[in-house]
């Protein structure tokens, strides 16, 4: 059966911020296959830093961090389908 421990629990203590998906679509970490990811664990981000692309019906939508801090976790695999509001990255301020 499925275990409930498939993803990290949301941080209730405010220790880290989550960059959540603004839409349903396919998550891409880089602008092209084989290209360097926009960000990785350890990357510093600002609110306007481009962190990923979400592709919806052949439309490429750039996603910005919206927060300042350091990426501490990449929550989804490249090319994975993400739901609206699912966590993409975890950021420590």
């Amino acid at each position: 059966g499925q275990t409930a421990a498939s993803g990290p629990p949301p941080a209730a203590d405010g220790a880290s911020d989550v960059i959540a998906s603004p839409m349903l679509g396919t998550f891409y970490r880089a602008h092209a296959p084989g290209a360097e990811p926009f960000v990785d664990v350890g990357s510093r981000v600002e609110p306007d830093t481009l962190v990923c692309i979400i592709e919806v019906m052949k439309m490429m939508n750039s996603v910005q961090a919206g927060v300042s801090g350091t990426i501490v976790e990449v929550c989804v695999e490249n090319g994975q389908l993400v739901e609206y509001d699912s966590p993409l990255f975890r950021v420590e301020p």
Side-chain angles (χ1 to χ4, degrees), residues 3 5 10 32 38 60 83 85 89 91:
T3 58
F38 296 116
M60 295 295 179
E83 302 278 337
D85 216 28
F89 300 93
V91 179

Side-chain angles (χ1 to χ4, degrees), residues 21-84:
S21 177
M23 64 197 75
L24 174 88
T26 306
F27 169 84
Y28 292 108
R29 295 188 57 194
H31 63 86
E36 283 290 305
F38 296 116
V39 294
D40 217 327
V41 172
S43 299
R44 281 282 308 165
V45 295
E46 297 300 329
D48 61 352
T49 303
L50 182 62
V51 293
C52 67
I53 288 172
I54 298 194
E55 187 246 319
V56 187
M57 296 164 62
K58 305 292 176 218
M59 293 281 297
M60 295 295 179
N61 300 279
S62 301
V63 178
Q64 294 177 327
V67 294
S68 298
T70 302
I71 302 278
V72 291
E73 185 187 351
V74 181
C75 304
V76 280
E77 294 294 317
N78 192 50
Q80 193 175 322
L81 187 67
V82 292
E83 302 278 337
Y84 169 73

